[in-house]
């Protein structure tokens, strides 16, 4: 059985922002990558920047 798509968010200043919006504001972290990264690829960069990943069935949240 296939798991449903999970929403990916970044928690900054007590606001949940979609990871794609974070990517648009911080695209300098992705200069070597061609094309638009997936939410999981953005999450890898967030983790390398010190963010913690919290997962549930319906969403993934990255927070410091």
């Amino acid at each position: 059985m296939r798991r449903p798509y999970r929403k990916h968010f970044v928690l900054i200043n007590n606001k949940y922002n979609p990871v794609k919006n974070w990517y648009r504001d911080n695209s300098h972290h992705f200069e070597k990558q061609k094309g638009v990264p997936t939410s999981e690829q953005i999450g890898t960069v967030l983790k390398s920047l010190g963010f913690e990943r919290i997962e549930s069935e319906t969403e993934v949240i990255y927070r410091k």
Side-chain angles (χ1 to χ4, degrees):
M1 189 165 140
R2 191 171 170 202
R3 181 171 47 171
Y5 175 77
R6 297 186 295 176
K7 302 284 185 178
H8 289 71
F9 296 100
V10 180
L11 179 62
I12 300 175
N13 297 331
N14 294 325
K15 285 184 66 180
Y16 290 96
N17 297 313
V19 292
K20 294 289 184 170
N21 288 350
W22 183 89
Y23 160 73
R24 289 180 191 105
D25 295 336
N26 299 281
S27 61
H28 60 276
H29 293 291
F30 301 90
E31 290 175 347
K32 294 181 181 176
Q33 184 170 350
K34 294 181 181 179
V36 178
T38 65
S39 295
E40 290 292 333
Q41 291 170 324
I42 297 169
T44 302
V45 171
L46 285 166
K47 285 177 63 177
S48 72
L49 295 173
F51 283 81
E52 174 188 7
R53 180 179 169 127
I54 302 167
E55 298 182 51
S56 72
E57 275 189 38
T58 58
E59 62 188 10
V60 177
I61 298 172
Y62 296 94
R63 68 176 183 156
K64 276 200 172 185

